[in-house]
Amino acid sequence: MRVLIVEDEPRLAENIARGLREAAAYAVDVVHDGEAGLSAIQANPYDAVILDLMLPKLDGMQVLQRIRQAGRRTPVLVLTARDDKESVIALLNAGADDYLTKPFDLGELLARTKALVRRGKGQASPILAVDDLQVNTADRTVYRNSRSITLTAMEYRVLEYLAHRPGAVVSKKELLEHLYDYNWEKFSNVIEVYVSGLRRKLNDGSSRKLIHTLRNQGYVLRA
Amino acid sequence: MQRDSIQRRLIATVVLSQALLTAGLILTGVLYTYWRLLSTLDTSMQARALSLAALVRYNDNATGDVYFDDTMIPPSIDPARPDVFAVWANRSGLLARSDTWPSNVELSPGSDQHWNAIWGKVPYHVLRMSKVPILDRVEGPLSKGPQTLSIIYASPTVRLRQQVRAAGIIIALASLVLLALMAKFALRGIGKGLAPLQTLAEQAALVSTQNWELRVPAEVEKVSEIEPVVRAMRDTLGRLQRSFVQQRDFLSNAAHELKTPVAVLKSTLQSLLQRPRTSDEYRTGLNQSLEDTERLERLLQWMLRLARAEQWAHGALRRNLELVDLNSTCEEAIERIRNLAHSRRNDIRLSTNGPMPFRADPEDLRLVWTNLLENAVRYSPEGSTIEVAVTRDKPGTARLTFKDSGVGISAEELPHIFERFYRGDPSRTRATGGFGLGLPMAKALIEAYGGTIAAESTPGRGTCMTVQLPLHTN
């Protein structure tokens, strides 16, 4: 998953990014003003955006309105210092999916971001199940047929992304776009390495294949 | 508990003055009645005395000797109480004395006079007449010549006194009834007259921090005694409201501004706790938290400084002011900023023309100058010069200018730079460590000394801050 943080206070942005990378294994991009935020959202298919309201150049509310006008469906969580009802209602009506008031709890921010990502992919449960495979996004554990499978961070990211969209064909480019921040092109060949490692670990002790490769199209996770 | 009350005081005044009036009326009435009755009595007594004179007759012997004919004595004025009299002739002596003459009273003829006396416990009004001619006439000359008479006529005044007393009682009763009526009327009038005060009090009680408006009905407000009170109350409420709103805004702004640094600190600590870390990571995290805390601390310091400056500007704090030279406070401020200026190779030039004594707390002035200089240095290109000039502007006004050749302030930001927590471009000011409190504080302090502060700026060319201070008022 790839998340954008638009926050002008560099330390806060850095802390949130670190939390998302460490606790959710997300790829995180950080920008410090509204204009940069808007162009980043228009250029990249983020799985969620964390948007501060008080931003230089273009404030959060305007960013939100513009991306919704442009038809972007990216889930947006707004960080605001104001917690009065009117401003919260205005935020949600402008197209925000969720909000947190400063100072917030980092754990809560991570949980809400995960929930937004999940909903954005049409999933309700934090435990994603495909056949006898179970991916628990809350504590990032993977079980197949009640057997625990240990994955590397990148293998987990690939599996989590595929598991959010079971049955759908996911191109290599899409995987790259959602699993890496900024300079993903240079990693293009690595995806195959992760997928084959993942496939080997999932199939260990099981006869049924779960990850299928469709030539020139991409990958699909299904029973 | 005896409470002071305007109503009670007014009623007391009215009743007291009416009582005095009534007393005066009673006294006047009684005295007048007495005087009228007495003069009537006098007249009657004179008439009777003359009737007595008519009873003195000459003897037939043509000597001029006289006798008193006591067969036709006029009746007493008060039939119940006999009058008394005595008649003397100047040659013949005492001619007659009434039977009722009191035994132990001895009076002799004398000049005309009338007086009151009490004889044998009975009050009398006494009339003495002399040289009363004898009215009787005889033919031919009198050998010893004609005589004149002296008459004393006294009448008991018991009835007169009773009449006066009765009149007094009637007047007093009537007055008291009137007094009671008037007191009641005054009471109602005063109650009605003071009713606007009650209305005013009720309306004043409705004023609160949610509703600052003092609504007073027009008919109450146009009462000449109420109008200045209402005006004073409105003035005071207006000042209180401005001050209250300013404090409330400051508090809410401050709370708002504190949220971000607290969010930074909290997220730093929470991300540190997210999973086990190496001691180096902990050390880095703790150092970061410390930096975050220091930033928070600086923000709090600025807020307190501003709050104090504004409190003083509103006259809530008293200070000991001393006579300081504006030039030397500028020099001290330049000294404080020297390290910062040096690190950016900025030169600060001070030009003055003669000492400029000013009554102030020198720390206030140093704080303001340091602030303006710090802004000038931070927004100036490295190696540029900042010019400070202290001049006597118009008579009695000191003018200080702080001129830099920095990035300047855009026309749309310029009107807001003295607003609290205003930061034109947050990314830029955040990089320079500002909180948007320095200029508001400078403004509050300068205005507390009756001065003004203004900014002129051309983006890309530089900014000039001008402070004007009145020299004479302090």
Side-chain angles (χ1 to χ4, degrees):
Chain A
M1 297 300 155
R2 185 170 170 196
V3 172
L4 176 70
I5 298 171
V6 192
E7 164 65 63
D8 67 323
E9 175 62 51
R11 276 299 268 291
L12 194 57
E14 188 189 307
N15 288 335
I16 298 169
R18 182 157 72 159
L20 286 169
R21 287 187 188 115
E22 287 180 353
Y26 287 173
V28 184
D29 294 342
V30 176
V31 291
H32 297 297
D33 65 71
E35 279 176 11
L38 186 63
S39 54
I41 295 167
Q42 281 163 350
N44 303 294
Y46 289 107
D47 297 300
V49 174
I50 294 169
L51 181 66
D52 190 10
L53 266 197
M54 296 262 284
L55 290 170
K57 293 181 186 166
L58 194 65
D59 71 37
M61 197 64 156
Q62 285 172 298
V63 174
L64 191 58
Q65 284 163 346
R66 295 220 196 153
I67 61 171
R68 292 301 182 229
Q69 273 162 18
R72 286 265 166 189
R73 301 180 60 182
T74 318
V76 174
L77 185 149
V78 173
L79 296 180
T80 170
R82 299 182 57 186
D83 56 359
D84 53 300
K85 286 280 170 288
E86 290 80 8
S87 68
V88 168
I89 290 169
L91 268 180
L92 294 174
N93 284 341
D97 297 278
D98 200 357
Y99 76 97
L100 268 180
T101 52
K102 292 180 186 176
F104 50 83
D105 186 279
L106 196 59
E108 186 181 354
L109 175 69
L110 301 181
R112 284 181 185 273
T113 310
K114 281 183 188 177
L116 279 184
V117 168
R118 200 156 68 218
R119 278 285 170 199
K121 307 281 174 226
Q123 296 291 337
S125 167
I127 298 167
L128 308 168
V130 180
D131 196 36
D132 56 354
L133 176 72
Q134 276 200 339
V135 180
N136 187 336
T137 57
D139 57 9
R140 286 190 286 149
T141 53
V142 180
Y143 287 88
R144 181 150 196 212
N145 208 1
S146 309
R147 178 174 58 88
S148 171
I149 297 168
T150 312
L151 300 176
T152 68
M154 279 315 294
E155 285 167 352
Y156 174 79
R157 285 194 194 185
V158 173
L159 179 62
E160 191 192 68
Y161 192 82
L162 291 174
H164 270 102
R165 305 179 59 197
V169 179
V170 178
S171 70
K172 202 158 81 175
K173 179 167 176 283
E174 186 180 342
L175 271 178
L176 284 165
E177 278 177 343
H178 285 271
L179 301 187
Y180 286 100
D181 42 32
Y182 300 128
N183 311 310
W184 50 268
E185 279 92 350
K186 64 183 176 201
F187 300 107
S188 59
N189 296 322
V190 191
I191 289 292
E192 285 157 34
V193 180
Y194 293 139
V195 173
S196 65
L198 190 57
R199 194 179 273 146
R200 185 170 43 77
K201 286 184 183 173
L202 292 185
N203 289 346
D204 192 15
S206 175
S207 52
R208 259 174 305 150
K209 234 171 96 176
L210 285 176
I211 299 177
H212 309 271
T213 308
L214 304 178
R215 191 161 298 278
N216 294 329
Q217 287 187 61
Y219 307 98
V220 62
L221 183 70
R222 64 171 178 238
Chain B
M1 190 176 68
Q2 185 66 40
R3 282 201 307 179
D4 215 358
S5 143
I6 293 182
Q7 190 165 2
R8 217 168 287 169
R9 266 193 263 172
L10 283 175
I11 291 171
T13 309
V14 168
V15 169
L16 198 70
S17 58
Q18 285 187 352
L20 271 172
L21 185 72
T22 311
L25 275 175
I26 295 171
L27 194 67
T28 313
V30 167
L31 285 177
Y32 181 73
T33 312
Y34 177 69
W35 175 75
R36 284 306 299 250
L37 288 174
L38 199 64
S39 69
T40 312
L41 183 68
D42 243 13
T43 313
S44 309
M45 281 165 69
Q46 263 176 28
R48 278 173 173 70
L50 289 178
S51 318
L52 288 178
L55 295 180
V56 177
R57 306 268 163 79
Y58 285 109
N59 288 339
D60 292 339
N61 56 15
T63 54
D65 292 337
V66 289
Y67 70 98
F68 186 75
D69 176 8
D70 58 1
T71 55
M72 293 172 70
I73 294 167
S76 289
I77 294 169
D78 178 358
R81 293 176 188 82
D83 296 340
V84 298
F85 60 88
V87 181
W88 289 269
N90 60 338
R91 272 201 317 274
S92 310
L94 182 66
L95 288 182
R97 208 144 78 164
S98 63
D99 306 336
T100 49
W101 188 268
S103 55
N104 53 351
V105 175
E106 282 304 326
L107 288 172
S108 45
S111 57
D112 288 3
Q113 211 179 336
H114 56 114
W115 69 93
N116 291 320
I118 293 174
W119 294 332
K121 292 184 181 161
V122 181
Y124 283 91
H125 188 67
V126 187
L127 176 70
R128 185 167 70 189
M129 301 166 85
S130 59
K131 296 195 175 78
V132 180
I134 295 172
L135 300 173
D136 190 32
R137 292 287 177 269
V138 287
E139 298 292 320
L142 298 168
S143 59
K144 291 178 184 170
Q147 295 196 68
T148 57
L149 302 174
S150 284
I151 302 169
I152 286 179
Y153 196 96
S155 175
T157 53
V158 175
R159 199 169 66 157
L160 180 142
R161 283 169 182 245
Q162 279 170 351
Q163 283 170 338
V164 169
R165 198 173 302 131
I169 286 167
I170 286 166
I171 294 172
L173 280 176
S175 300
L176 282 173
V177 169
L178 281 175
L179 177 67
L181 281 173
M182 279 161 81
K184 200 179 165 193
F185 189 70
L187 214 74
R188 264 175 60 183
I190 288 166
K192 254 190 188 157
L194 290 177
L197 271 181
Q198 184 67 34
T199 313
L200 182 62
E202 281 162 8
Q203 291 304 316
L206 294 178
V207 173
S208 71
T209 55
Q210 268 74 47
N211 171 35
W212 287 96
E213 201 191 339
L214 177 64
R215 289 171 203 272
V216 182
E219 70 271 15
V220 171
E221 199 176 342
K222 67 180 186 228
V223 177
S224 64
E225 287 85 358
I226 301 280
E227 197 266 329
V229 177
V230 171
R231 194 162 1 105
M233 283 172 83
R234 288 223 171 98
D235 279 0
T236 309
L237 281 173
R239 278 199 305 277
L240 280 175
Q241 183 184 10
R242 278 193 293 282
S243 170
F244 182 85
V245 168
Q246 199 173 23
Q247 293 294 317
R248 193 185 52 194
D249 287 354
F250 180 75
L251 202 64
S252 94
N253 283 342
H256 190 267
E257 287 297 315
L258 282 168
K259 280 179 177 171
T260 299
V262 171
V264 172
L265 180 58
K266 192 170 169 182
S267 65
T268 302
L269 292 170
Q270 283 181 332
S271 88
L272 204 58
L273 284 173
Q274 212 166 41
R275 65 179 192 195
R277 308 270 179 191
T278 65
S279 67
D280 271 355
E281 281 175 323
Y282 280 125
R283 185 177 299 281
T284 313
L286 286 175
N287 276 328
Q288 282 178 348
S289 304
L290 202 58
E291 280 170 31
D292 298 340
T293 315
E294 278 160 5
R295 194 179 131 79
L296 196 57
E297 195 183 342
R298 279 203 307 281
L299 174 58
L300 285 174
Q301 265 172 359
W302 271 104
M303 283 181 185
L304 283 177
R305 254 186 233 170
L306 175 64
R308 237 175 271 146
E310 285 187 340
Q311 240 181 324
W312 187 52
H314 282 105
L317 286 182
R318 288 257 163 269
R319 293 218 193 166
N320 293 324
L321 304 183
E322 52 186 280
L323 212 55
V324 292
D325 184 16
L326 289 179
N327 299 331
S328 57
T329 56
C330 281
E331 281 163 18
E332 284 151 6
I334 292 170
E335 195 51 48
R336 283 189 192 178
I337 215 81
R338 190 164 296 288
N339 277 339
L340 178 70
H342 197 71
S343 71
R344 300 174 56 91
R345 294 183 294 108
N346 289 122
D347 192 16
I348 304 177
R349 267 187 225 145
L350 172 67
S351 66
T352 61
N353 57 355
M356 203 75 76
F358 186 73
R359 190 168 291 282
D361 181 337
E363 186 51 31
D364 288 342
L365 299 178
R366 270 175 260 163
L367 214 57
V368 174
W369 312 150
T370 311
N371 217 312
L372 297 179
L373 284 169
E374 206 175 315
N375 285 342
V377 171
R378 286 192 193 282
Y379 295 119
S380 286
E382 288 199 18
S384 65
T385 301
I386 288 135
E387 284 171 36
V388 183
V390 187
T391 51
R392 205 178 279 271
D393 197 19
K394 317 178 262 244
T397 306
R399 179 193 174 96
L400 294 95
T401 54
F402 299 79
K403 201 171 169 193
D404 67 53
S405 49
V407 292
I409 305 163
S410 73
E412 72 183 24
E413 287 178 41
L414 202 56
H416 302 291
I417 58 169
F418 293 107
E419 290 171 11
R420 284 172 299 196
F421 298 114
Y422 179 80
R423 284 178 297 233
D425 182 345
S427 57
R428 192 185 72 197
T429 36
R430 202 154 275 166
T432 55
F435 298 109
L437 290 175
L439 286 178
M441 190 195 66
K443 186 172 190 273
L445 284 175
I446 290 299
E447 284 178 355
Y449 286 106
T452 58
I453 181 165
E456 285 169 72
S457 186
T458 317
R461 298 281 298 277
T463 304
C464 180
M465 305 293 294
T466 305
V467 174
Q468 286 186 304
L469 287 169
L471 291 171
H472 56 281
T473 50
N474 46 54

